[in-house]
Amino acid sequence: MRVVSVIVAAGKGERFGSKKQFEKINGKMVLDYSVEILSEFGEVVIVASKEDLEFVKSFYPQATVVEGGKERMHSVYNGLKSIKDCDIVLIHDAARPLIYREMVSAVIDAAGEFSAAIPVIGAFETLKRKRDGFVVQTIDRSSIVISQTPQGFEFKKLLKALNECILKGEIYTDESAVWEKYYGEVKTVEGSRKNIKITTKEDLELVRCLLG
Ligand code: CTP
Ligand code: MG
């Protein structure tokens, strides 16, 4: 089974304050951690913004580097278009440096069997709906899960669905949402609470502790 990974690293990091994917942890860039692990499973495509293309290319000569787009979904689409052929494509956020081999393997195996698979964790805290500074409702969390990356899909089907989304101007926050809309169910595999997506400075501190 041929696997290609698309690592999206073309975001601006507005909530973080800078491009978090290039922050250094233990002398390595946040992006390095994902490139290292995912390279073990096959080719890697890195999606970077126009101004970072040359620097990223020089840093990862073994990877294919392509330009990102306005929304995350456009960046993913550009990454997919650069792939000639493969069976399973993994889509991964550069902002999640704490992935590990077992999780990646589980996603690949489940995607091979069910066409689409994502790592998830339970929503362990009580979820509330807030309006104007007051809690107005408690949400039943028994069937709620939190989605992570890498997400694995049958390559040709994902590309076809994203093609249509782009044509129609539809925007989805992750590829699983696209798959659900176009094809239906997505298999879940066990993610990890350690697989933090760096969004704020606080997240970077947590990741530093975990990697320290
Ligand atoms: N990403 C991307 N292209 C975009 C937007 C996001 O490749 N147009 C990537 C980011 O680099 C990140 C991942 O998608 O690795 C998840 O996005 P997010 O955490 O939202 O990162 P940013 O968009 O950079 O952050 P913010 O939303 O705070 O600006
Ligand atoms: Mg974003």
Side-chain angles (χ1 to χ4, degrees), residues 11 19 32 53-54 59 61 79 91-92 101 116 131 145 152 202:
K19 288 176 183 167
D32 291 341
L53 279 181
E54 288 317 309
F59 232 86
I91 313 292
H92 182 61
R101 288 167 194 92
R131 203 172 297 134
V145 288
E202 213 177 9

Side-chain angles (χ1 to χ4, degrees), residues 8-16 20-21 47 69-72 75 93-95 197-199:
V8 282
K12 292 195 177 74
E14 270 163 16
R15 287 166 290 182
F16 185 87
K20 57 211 186 184
Q21 59 271 39
V47 187
K70 190 168 177 287
E71 302 291 338
R72 183 182 176 285
S75 295
D93 293 333
K197 179 169 75 88
I198 301 172
T199 304

Side-chain angles (χ1 to χ4, degrees), residues 7 30 39 53 73 76-77 86-87 94 115 130 163 175 186 200:
I7 304 177
V30 166
S39 294
L53 279 181
M73 209 183 83
V76 169
Y77 183 58
C86 70
D87 303 303
S115 295
K130 185 183 97 168
N163 246 321
E175 291 57 58
V186 172
T200 64

Side-chain angles (χ1 to χ4, degrees), residues 73-128:
M73 209 183 83
H74 300 116
S75 295
V76 169
Y77 183 58
N78 290 355
L80 290 182
K81 281 192 297 184
S82 78
I83 300 171
K84 280 194 196 76
D85 193 27
C86 70
D87 303 303
I88 298 297
V89 64
L90 296 178
I91 313 292
H92 182 61
D93 293 333
R96 291 183 193 269
L98 286 165
I99 48 169
Y100 48 88
R101 288 167 194 92
E102 292 73 16
M103 190 197 300
V104 179
S105 290
V107 170
I108 293 171
D109 291 348
E113 188 175 349
F114 301 100
S115 295
I118 65 171
V120 300
I121 54 170
F124 296 143
E125 292 174 67
T126 302
L127 300 178
K128 304 277 187 186

Side-chain angles (χ1 to χ4, degrees), residues 22-194:
F22 304 131
E23 281 287 322
K24 286 272 180 73
I25 302 178
N26 295 335
K28 290 201 314 193
M29 284 191 294
V30 166
L31 171 61
D32 291 341
Y33 289 88
S34 308
V35 175
E36 228 173 81
I37 301 246
L38 292 171
S39 294
E40 293 178 19
F41 294 86
E43 276 169 49
V44 168
V45 176
I46 301 171
V47 187
S49 59
K50 193 171 188 171
E51 65 263 28
D52 299 319
L53 279 181
E54 288 317 309
F55 137 71
V56 172
K57 273 181 193 164
S58 68
F59 232 86
Y60 307 102
Q62 76 284 12
T64 303
V65 181
V66 299
E67 193 178 324
K70 190 168 177 287
E71 302 291 338
R72 183 182 176 285
M73 209 183 83
H74 300 116
S75 295
V76 169
Y77 183 58
N78 290 355
L80 290 182
K81 281 192 297 184
S82 78
I83 300 171
K84 280 194 196 76
D85 193 27
C86 70
D87 303 303
I88 298 297
V89 64
L90 296 178
I91 313 292
H92 182 61
D93 293 333
R96 291 183 193 269
L98 286 165
I99 48 169
Y100 48 88
R101 288 167 194 92
E102 292 73 16
M103 190 197 300
V104 179
S105 290
V107 170
I108 293 171
D109 291 348
E113 188 175 349
F114 301 100
S115 295
I118 65 171
V120 300
I121 54 170
F124 296 143
E125 292 174 67
T126 302
L127 300 178
K128 304 277 187 186
R129 192 177 309 282
K130 185 183 97 168
R131 203 172 297 134
D132 302 327
F134 289 89
V135 167
V136 292
Q137 192 190 2
T138 299
I139 295 161
D140 172 22
R141 67 188 160 116
S142 57
S143 66
I144 303 280
V145 288
I146 296 166
S147 137
Q148 301 185 328
T149 75
Q151 305 194 342
F153 305 93
E154 208 177 289
F155 168 66
K156 287 194 185 76
K157 285 181 80 173
L158 183 67
L159 181 60
K160 188 165 178 271
L162 271 177
N163 246 321
E164 287 190 34
C165 288
I166 300 281
L167 273 174
K168 292 181 190 157
E170 299 169 345
I171 299 286
Y172 296 89
T173 51
D174 71 357
E175 291 57 58
S176 168
V178 175
W179 193 279
E180 292 150 35
K181 176 80 195 296
Y182 281 80
Y183 304 116
E185 286 181 345
V186 172
K187 179 69 177 167
T188 60
V189 306
E190 206 174 310
S192 164
R193 281 161 72 76
K194 288 186 183 170

